[in-house]
Amino acid sequence: KDPAGKGGLATLAKGSRPTTPHSTVALLTSTVKMDDEAGEMRFCFRLISPTGAFTLQAQSDEDRKSWIDMIQAVINCLLNSVGRAEGADESDDGGDGGGSSAIGTPV
């Protein structure tokens, strides 16, 4: 089973008004790290996956924290769904495998 194939992908684009996706990253196998404030690149964080590392820039420190929290919440949700799916496969009790969750856009 592949939760990333069910929406666990992040699509990244360049520029302030992106129209064409630059990359797609499977969040299930990714992590996010806050960058140190250095030089001209303020409010940056990195999305690190097996396919590469992507530096992203927010508009403010609060915005950066919101993005990091949201990405970490999605990763946790994906990891939990894998655990539930593996547990359901092992027990095969006929249950629905858990509930649903909604993730919004950071403000």
Side-chain angles (χ1 to χ4, degrees):
K1 296 183 179 180
D2 179 17
K6 297 178 183 177
L9 301 175
T11 302
L12 307 176
K14 290 183 177 182
S16 60
R17 293 187 174 260
T19 57
T20 304
H22 174 66
S23 295
T24 302
V25 179
L27 292 176
L28 180 62
T29 55
S30 299
T31 188
V32 62
K33 292 188 177 188
M34 188 177 302
D35 283 346
D36 292 331
E37 295 293 319
E40 297 176 17
M41 297 295 289
R42 297 184 62 204
F43 315 125
C44 290
F45 61 98
R46 286 179 290 143
L47 182 60
I48 302 167
S49 77
T51 59
F54 303 89
T55 299
L56 306 169
Q57 187 174 26
Q59 294 180 352
S60 68
D61 189 51
E62 183 178 326
D63 193 36
R64 173 175 61 174
K65 288 176 184 173
S66 293
W67 276 105
I68 289 171
D69 289 347
M70 189 62 59
I71 293 169
Q72 288 175 332
V74 171
I75 292 169
N76 287 336
C77 182
L78 290 167
L79 290 171
N80 288 334
S81 69
V82 168
R84 282 194 304 267
E86 288 174 356
D89 288 344
E90 291 171 8
S91 65
D92 198 30
D93 62 3
D96 67 356
S100 63
S101 63
I103 304 296
T105 302
V107 181

